[in-house]
């Protein structure tokens, strides 16, 4: 059974750091990129970052570039999101998703015959 399980969220003060983890099982993410979306109350879900195991390329939303770093351990089917210099506007539920891609500069979920997969989400709250 395919599963994506996020962890590492929590409550942190502005300027602090958190590291999110996404552990995958039931498949390997070596065909498309795997990445992170986030959704804050009353706002649209947005793509935050993704990484491709095929060529190592990464994508970051402009709002997090320079503060967040995505990495992966393909052997363990795990992807990480290191979040530094957190701001209150980073507060959201963060979701791991696969497969994803970047189309016209926008991170999207890719529709394939195998379907797509989402984690349960992990809450990140940044206080001012």
């Amino acid at each position: 059974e395919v599963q994506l399980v996020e962890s590492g969220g929590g409550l942190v003060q502005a300027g602090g750091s958190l590291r999110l983890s996404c552990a995958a099982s039931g498949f390997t993410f070596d065909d498309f990129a795997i990445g992170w979306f986030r959704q804050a109350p009353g706002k649209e879900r947005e793509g935050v970052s993704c990484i491709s195991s095929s060529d190592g390329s990464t994508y970051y939303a402009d709002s997090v570039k320079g503060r967040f770093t995505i990495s992966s351990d393909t052997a363990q089917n795990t992807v990480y999101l290191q979040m530094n210099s957190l701001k209150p506007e980073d507060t959201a539920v963060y979701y791991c998703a696969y497969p994803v891609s970047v189309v016209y500069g926008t991170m999207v979920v890719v529709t394939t015959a195998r379907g797509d997969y989402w984690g349960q989400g992990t809450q990140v709250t940044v206080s001012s």
Side-chain angles (χ1 to χ4, degrees):
E1 180 180 352
V2 175
Q3 287 187 309
L4 295 174
V5 181
E6 303 100 330
S7 62
L11 175 63
V12 64
Q13 293 187 32
S17 299
L18 288 171
R19 190 180 77 156
L20 306 184
S21 298
C22 174
S25 62
F27 73 103
T28 56
F29 45 81
D30 55 1
D31 294 326
F32 293 92
I34 187 169
W36 295 89
F37 290 82
R38 67 184 181 186
Q39 187 165 29
K43 299 182 67 176
E44 297 288 336
R45 180 175 292 169
E46 61 178 338
V48 177
S49 181
C50 64
I51 184 168
S52 172
S53 61
S54 62
D55 60 10
S57 62
T58 58
Y59 161 88
Y60 296 95
D62 289 342
S63 59
V64 307
K65 192 170 185 178
R67 300 187 297 119
F68 292 10
T69 303
I70 191 169
S71 61
S72 64
D73 185 335
T74 304
Q76 297 188 25
N77 272 12
T78 303
V79 63
Y80 305 94
L81 186 66
Q82 178 67 45
M83 306 185 296
N84 298 326
S85 301
L86 284 163
K87 305 175 180 180
E89 49 263 46
D90 294 318
T91 296
V93 178
Y94 285 70
Y95 298 90
C96 183
Y98 175 85
V100 301
S101 186
V102 179
V103 180
Y104 298 113
T106 302
M107 181 176 150
V108 298
V109 178
V110 178
T111 300
T112 72
R114 295 176 295 176
D116 55 86
Y117 308 98
W118 294 81
Q120 83 287 353
T122 185
Q123 176 71 50
V124 172
T125 302
V126 184
S127 62
S128 59

